[in-house]
Every structure is written in structure tokens, then in C-alpha cells.
Amino acid sequence: MVVQIAPDLSPNSTTIAPQTSAEKRSSYLAHLLALGQSVPSSLPPAIATAQAQAAARIPELAIPSSRHEDWRFTDLSALVQLQFQATPQVCSFTLGQLAALTIAEARHRLVFVDGHYSPSLSSVEDLPAGVTLGNIHQADPQRLAQVLGQQPGNEEVFTTLNTATFQDLAWIHLAEGVILDAPLHLIWMSTLDRQCPVVSQTRALILADRGSSLHLVEDFVTLGEGCTNGLASGTYFTNGVTEMVLGDNAFVHHSRLQRDGTGAFHIGKTAVSQGRDSRYVGVAIHLGAQMSRHNLEVVHQGEQAETELFGLALVNQAQVMDTHSSIWYQHPHCSSNQLYKAIVNDRGRSVFNGRVDVPQAAQLTNARQLNRNLLLSPQARVDTKPQLEIVADNVKCTHGATVSQLEDEEIFYFQSRGIDPLSAQHLLLDGFAAEILQKLPLESLRQSLGRCVACRMMDV
């Protein structure tokens, strides 16, 4: 028997209209805010104020859709279908498990698990004078209030969400003239919960005062079944913001490794402020997550600032890896050099948008930008948009983008010298990626990531 229930059409009846797509995205953002606020915290008053101000802006925002210009190639609909839980302040990892992630050359280490500092996994002993490493409890409250969330782009939706809900932060401060010889390894570990995935809001603040020098390896990773270089299984959401302030004549080399699990969602921002005569070198390696987005924003706050940005994405299966970079020149005699590469296989998709803004005041600017892509499958896709906005008239600015495949002539060249086709393909892929991997300052890191290229592209 089939029972049909007719709708009540009487004048006094009320119906609840289904939510529109925009309303769903706004509701989901509000849900993430409530989730983050449900975790008890003991943050300094100045931070609590900043978080309250950010939370007050959330109702005006929504999770972006493909109708937003900056998100038109990256679909977040799979993310908003998931239900997450808040991250507990309980570390479930041991030093023995961490051994698979450590870098031999890095004597100092900061480890955060689901956004919470883990002193037992960290190593901050024998620091030189003038170096402060730790979490929010080691931070200088006055400096923290002055610089947290003060860089351009702070109003972006995921940055606002992070500011409103982060529970802890990595604090790295180098005083004037201090040089930290050994690399510092900053590890953001995510836990896997198969019943209800977790969401973590990671936050880092790096202050390199006048004349200081730092080599930083920032590592987003999880431990689970599968390789730690982006092949561990499991679903979770990481929303991270890393802010750097380089004083005059300071130097920071920043290696950023995104090797989250295969089911992860990763949205990250790196915001860099450079003083006069400072130099920032950023190397970003993207390996994991089913969807990742990296917003890289650099502002020149003084003359003769130098910026070098390098990136490599290995995109497999149905992964989406999206990089949006912006360099804002504000003073003359500054320079930037950017090279971003992607190898895309299967039904993967790589997105690159590189913006360079050169206003009238930024005369004698020298800016170079190049995006190179290699497609290994008919279903692979690349969306690239180099974007120069130049108002100054005495500048030297170049940009370009290429999309290509492995050439039969190149394969034949190797075969004519006794190398089988599969090995020839791997050699060509290694050569394509090596230009970026060689920018990593640590030999052990270059070797381990170099092995990923052939390993992850075995089915070319």
C-alpha cells in the first residue's frame, strides 16, 4: 500500500524553503566558526579581542563558489558536504612515530598536532641567544598584538576564519643580527579519525628582525597507512595561516611542504612583509590532499627588497592543486623572480594565478614570472593566468606560461642509447622537477622528495 501525503495548502500553513547555495555556504562557514569556538582556550586578552573582531565579520562572508573569480577553477562543494569535529588537545603521536618525519640537518624542531603545540615532540634546546621558539605562551604579547593579522589580505574568508578560531600558534622570533645556522623544522601534524574527520586551524608568526637570518622548513603532514609524502589515507581539513615579517636586511629561506593525506582538504596562506634590503626565498612543494589551495602574498615595505618564489606540484588521480600568488611592490629598486612548475597526470588539475602589482611609486622594478606545466594524460588539466598590473613606466617586467607533453623525440633519444621508454620518461620527469628541488637547501630533503617524482608518476 502506498500512502500519499498532500501538502497543506491552507492560508495559515507555513513552509520552510530549501536553502539556496549561497545560504548553505554561509551556514557552513558559521558551522566552522562555532566548531572552533567550542574548544576552550586561554589566549591573551589582545588575541581574544582580535578573534572577536574576526568572528564578527564571519556573518558577512561565505565559503567561495566557482562564481568567485579567485575560485572559479577550484570547486569547494566536496568540502562543504563534510561534517568535522573540533580537534582535541591530546597528542596521539610518539617520538618513535615522529622519526619518519624528522630532517637530519634540522637540530631544532617545533611540532603541532591538530594546531596544538606538543612540547614532548619538539626540540628547542641549545638555542643561540636572541632566538625564541615555542607557542603562544612564549610570544611577546606586545609584538604579537602589533603584527598578528595586520598584513594585506587579512579580510579573506579563510584567513578570517583562522583568526577567529585558532587555539595556538607557532612563535618564531630572531632578534636583531641573530643568525640561526641550523635549519628549523616546523611540523604541522594532522590526526586521522575515520568516524568524524577533524578540522585544524594552524597559525604561525615568524619575526626576523633587522639583519637576522633563518632557514625554515614548514611541513604539513599526517601519519597513517601509506607514504608520508602525501599518500597516507584519511580525510581532514587544515586551514593554515603563516605570517612573516622580515626587518631591514633580514634573510629568510622558507621551504613549505604540503604532503597531507590523500583525502585531506588543505587551504593555506603565506603572508610575507619585507623591509628594506631584505631577501625572502620561498620554495613550495605540493604533493598531497585531494584539494589544496595556497595563497602566497608578499608585500615590499622598503626599497631594494628581493623576492624569489619557486613551486612544484605533482598532481595525480583527481587531485586539484591551486596556487595564487601576489607580489605587491610599493617602493623602487625592488626585484622578484618566480618559477612555478606542475606535473599533472590522470584526471588531476593544476591551477596557477600569479599577480604582480607595480604602482607608480615602484620605479626601477625588475620582476620575472614563469609558469611551466607538463601534462601526462589526455584528461589532465592546467589553468594558468600570469597577471602583471604595471603603472610605473621605468620597469623591467616579464611573464610567461607553457603547457606541454613529453615529446616522442626525447623518448627516442634515450632509447637510441639503450634506455627503455619507462626509464626515459622518469629521467625526463626528474629533470623537469630538479630545477625546483635544487632550490631546497637540505640534501636529505632533496633526495627524499626527488624519489617522489618517479614514484608518484609510475603509470605515465
Side-chain angles (χ1 to χ4, degrees):
M1 180 178 64
V2 178
V3 178
Q4 293 183 335
I5 301 177
D8 183 2
L9 300 180
S10 61
N12 296 325
S13 66
T14 59
T15 59
I16 300 176
Q19 282 187 316
T20 64
S21 174
E23 290 172 339
K24 288 181 180 179
R25 290 183 281 107
S26 296
S27 298
Y28 192 79
L29 183 62
H31 162 69
L32 293 178
L33 173 64
L35 199 63
Q37 292 177 331
S38 67
V39 180
S41 63
S42 57
L43 299 177
I47 303 306
T49 300
Q51 290 200 316
Q53 293 173 347
R57 295 197 300 270
I58 290 294
E60 305 170 4
L61 305 172
I63 301 294
S65 72
S66 57
R67 294 184 179 181
H68 292 75
E69 177 63 24
D70 286 345
W71 290 87
R72 63 193 182 106
F73 298 126
T74 303
D75 186 4
L76 296 176
S77 58
L79 172 64
V80 300
Q81 301 301 320
L82 295 176
Q83 293 297 318
F84 294 100
Q85 65 177 341
T87 55
Q89 299 186 39
V90 178
C91 179
S92 58
F93 297 107
T94 66
L95 279 173
Q97 293 174 300
L98 190 68
L101 304 176
T102 56
I103 299 173
E105 300 93 331
R107 293 202 304 266
H108 304 109
R109 180 176 65 243
L110 289 176
V111 180
F112 287 73
V113 179
D114 294 330
H116 302 287
Y117 182 53
S118 175
S120 63
L121 299 179
S122 301
S123 177
V124 294
E125 297 81 15
D126 301 323
L127 292 171
V131 177
T132 306
L133 304 179
N135 70 337
I136 197 166
H137 299 297
Q138 282 74 49
D140 179 338
Q142 184 175 359
R143 291 291 300 273
L144 183 61
Q146 288 174 346
V147 299
L148 184 72
Q150 298 303 309
Q151 300 198 41
N154 186 52
E155 69 284 351
E156 184 267 337
V157 55
F158 288 104
T159 306
T160 302
L161 176 64
N162 180 282
T163 301
T165 58
F166 76 87
Q167 301 296 319
D168 204 348
L169 61 76
W171 174 264
I172 302 170
H173 179 213
L174 275 67
E176 180 175 347
V178 172
I179 297 176
L180 189 60
D181 293 323
L184 169 63
H185 195 186
L186 172 58
I187 303 178
W188 303 104
M189 297 179 68
S190 295
T191 58
L192 301 176
D193 189 319
R194 301 188 185 279
Q195 268 63 49
C196 188
V198 299
V199 54
S200 56
Q201 308 286 345
T202 68
R203 192 76 177 227
L205 191 55
I206 295 96
L207 305 180
D209 290 349
R210 181 186 181 94
S212 61
S213 178
L214 169 68
H215 282 78
L216 173 68
V217 179
E218 187 178 21
D219 200 350
F220 295 87
V221 68
T222 189
L223 289 175
E225 299 176 2
C227 173
T228 56
N229 285 329
L231 295 179
S233 60
T235 301
Y236 54 90
F237 175 33
T238 297
N239 180 34
V241 176
T242 297
E243 298 175 291
M244 298 190 186
V245 180
L246 280 65
D248 295 348
N249 203 36
F251 169 73
V252 172
H253 189 291
H254 177 209
S255 303
R256 186 183 192 274
L257 313 180
Q258 187 278 102
R259 41 184 181 168
D260 283 308
T262 55
F265 293 84
H266 179 103
I267 297 177
K269 168 177 282 190
T270 303
V272 182
S273 173
Q274 291 188 240
R276 181 186 178 96
D277 296 311
S278 66
R279 182 173 176 233
Y280 172 77
V281 180
V283 184
I285 309 296
H286 308 277
L287 301 175
Q290 63 172 295
M291 191 290 296
S292 69
R293 167 70 173 252
H294 183 212
N295 295 317
L296 176 55
E297 301 170 357
V298 181
V299 181
H300 290 168
Q301 303 283 16
E303 295 185 11
Q304 301 185 110
E306 298 181 23
T307 304
E308 295 183 74
L309 305 178
F310 304 99
L312 174 66
L314 303 182
V315 191
N316 257 330
Q317 299 178 358
Q319 287 181 295
V320 177
M321 295 189 180
D322 183 346
T323 292
H324 272 58
S325 67
S326 300
I327 304 176
W328 288 295
Y329 287 80
Q330 296 183 346
H331 298 270
H333 303 286
C334 295
S335 65
S336 65
N337 178 31
Q338 182 175 20
L339 174 61
Y340 183 84
K341 290 187 172 186
I343 303 175
V344 191
N345 198 10
D346 301 322
R347 292 174 291 111
R349 185 172 190 174
S350 174
V351 180
F352 174 77
N353 186 296
R355 176 179 175 180
V356 178
D357 189 88
V358 186
Q360 183 66 33
Q363 299 293 339
L364 300 173
T365 286
N366 186 354
R368 293 178 293 172
Q369 182 188 91
L370 179 61
N371 175 219
R372 297 185 61 197
N373 303 278
L374 196 56
L375 299 181
L376 305 181
S377 163
Q379 291 80 36
R381 179 168 177 174
V382 168
D383 298 285
T384 178
K385 182 183 177 183
Q387 183 179 355
L388 299 184
E389 299 187 11
I390 304 172
V391 178
D393 50 12
N394 188 6
V395 298
K396 183 179 180 181
C397 298
T398 62
H399 72 278
T402 64
V403 180
S404 61
Q405 300 173 324
L406 294 179
E407 298 293 340
D408 292 338
E409 293 81 359
E410 296 173 331
I411 303 296
F412 178 77
Y413 174 85
F414 283 100
Q415 287 184 276
S416 68
R417 282 151 179 79
I419 300 175
D420 64 89
L422 185 59
S423 297
Q425 291 171 338
H426 288 163
L427 286 171
L428 291 170
L429 294 180
D430 289 341
F432 184 83
E435 188 176 7
I436 302 299
L437 295 179
Q438 289 302 315
K439 302 298 181 180
L440 296 169
L442 307 179
E443 178 62 26
S444 63
L445 205 55
R446 291 195 296 268
Q447 290 183 1
S448 65
L449 294 177
R451 290 191 291 267
C452 288
V453 178
C455 176
R456 293 173 65 86
M457 303 296 173
M458 285 295 292
D459 58 342
V460 296

